[in-house]
Amino acid sequence: MLYWVVKYTIWPLLRLIYRPWAKGMENVPAEGPVILAGNHLSFADHFFGAGFLPRKVISLGKAEYFTGRGIKGLVSRAFFSGVGTVPIDRSGGKASEAALRTGLRVLKDNQVLGIYPEGTRSPDGRLYKGKTGVARLALEARAPVIPWAMVNTFEMMPPGHPIPKFGIRPGVRYGKPLDFSRYYGMEGDRLVLRAVTDEIMYALMELSGQEYVDKYAASAKVEMVRAARAAASKS
C-alpha cells in the first residue's frame, strides 16, 4: 500500500519539477515475472527508475537502509519501504544466497524485480563489471531480463550531494527482453553465469552510452579512496 501512496503523491511532483523522460516502456511485459537489470549511477535512481511503469517494481537493497536509529533511520525505512525495496544482507557467503532466494520468491510471485548487477553505485559515472547473481536469478526463475538504463542521474545527483540538481533531465531506457532460455538448467556453470552477466552488461552499455570498466565497482571505490589518501599524505 505504501508503495502506491508514494508513487501517486511524490512521482507527479518529481515529473513536474525534473521533467524525466522514458523510452522503450513497451518492452516491459504487462504480466508475469520480469527482471529489470539496471546500471546504478546515483541515489536518484530510486526515485526515477520505476516511476514510469504501471507495475510495482520490487528492488533488493542493503539492510543498512532499514536499521538506522532516530528520525533519520525512521525516514530511511519509510522511504525504502515506500519505493518497494526489500532489505538484504550484502556481506557475502550465506547472506548472498539468502538474497538470491529473496529475489526468486519475488519472481515466483510473478512480480517485477529490479536489480543492479554492479552491486553498488558507480563512483565516477562509468559502467562496471556485473556480479553473476543476476544471471542465477534469470536462469533459475526462467524470467526474461529487461536492460534498464538510467541516464543523467549521475550528473543530477552525484555522490555526496543529498539533493538532486535542477536543470538536468533524468531519463530511463528500457531495452528489449534478453532471452537466456538456451542456458536453462545450466545455472551451476560459472562460465555460463559469467557469459549471461556480460551479455546483460553489454546491453546496458549500449543503452546508457557509458564507458565500460572491466572491474567491480566496489574494488574501484577502494582504489579511489587509497589514491586520495596517498595524494593527501604527499601534500
Side-chain angles (χ1 to χ4, degrees), residues 65-106:
Y65 289 145
F66 296 83
T67 57
R69 297 181 179 181
I71 298 297
K72 184 178 180 180
L74 180 64
V75 171
S76 178
R77 286 193 296 276
F79 169 75
F80 283 100
S81 296
V83 295
T85 301
V86 176
I88 60 170
D89 184 342
R90 303 193 305 177
S91 58
K94 292 182 179 179
S96 297
E97 190 67 23
L100 176 73
R101 295 302 151 195
T102 299
L104 288 173
R105 284 198 298 273
V106 171

Side-chain angles (χ1 to χ4, degrees), residues 10-220:
I10 296 179
W11 178 237
L13 183 62
L14 292 176
R15 295 193 71 171
L16 177 65
I17 296 174
Y18 293 103
R19 299 184 300 121
W21 53 268
K23 294 183 179 180
M25 291 168 54
E26 69 279 2
N27 291 322
V28 182
E31 57 185 19
V34 179
I35 297 172
L36 291 177
N39 56 340
H40 200 4
L41 290 169
S42 166
F43 187 80
D45 298 338
H46 297 292
F47 294 88
F48 299 99
F52 290 97
L53 298 177
R55 299 183 65 182
K56 180 178 180 179
V57 177
I58 298 175
S59 59
L60 305 181
K62 59 184 180 181
E64 290 84 348
Y65 289 145
F66 296 83
T67 57
R69 297 181 179 181
I71 298 297
K72 184 178 180 180
L74 180 64
V75 171
S76 178
R77 286 193 296 276
F79 169 75
F80 283 100
S81 296
V83 295
T85 301
V86 176
I88 60 170
D89 184 342
R90 303 193 305 177
S91 58
K94 292 182 179 179
S96 297
E97 190 67 23
L100 176 73
R101 295 302 151 195
T102 299
L104 288 173
R105 284 198 298 273
V106 171
L107 295 168
K108 185 178 180 180
D109 290 338
N110 291 319
Q111 299 189 76
V112 181
L113 177 68
I115 188 170
Y116 301 115
E118 291 167 281
T120 187
R121 280 173 277 175
S122 171
D124 55 11
R126 296 185 294 176
L127 183 68
Y128 284 82
K129 187 176 182 178
K131 296 186 176 182
T132 59
V134 64
R136 283 192 62 189
L137 284 168
L139 299 187
E140 289 196 29
R142 302 196 172 189
V145 177
I146 308 295
W148 187 30
M150 309 296 169
V151 180
N152 291 337
T153 53
F154 183 85
E155 293 78 8
M156 178 188 195
M157 195 176 181
H161 289 72
I163 300 176
K165 297 178 181 179
F166 297 104
I168 299 176
R169 292 186 65 193
V172 188
R173 294 191 181 106
Y174 303 93
K176 293 183 179 180
L178 301 176
D179 178 14
F180 297 112
S181 59
R182 63 193 182 279
Y183 295 125
Y184 287 168
M186 303 173 68
E187 53 270 15
D189 189 319
R190 293 184 179 181
L191 293 179
V192 167
L193 295 180
R194 185 75 262 161
V196 169
T197 304
D198 288 346
E199 186 173 335
I200 292 170
M201 301 312 292
Y202 183 82
L204 283 173
M205 181 184 69
E206 287 196 316
L207 277 175
S208 67
Q210 291 172 270
E211 176 186 349
Y212 179 75
V213 183
D214 191 26
K215 69 171 64 173
Y216 293 114
S219 298

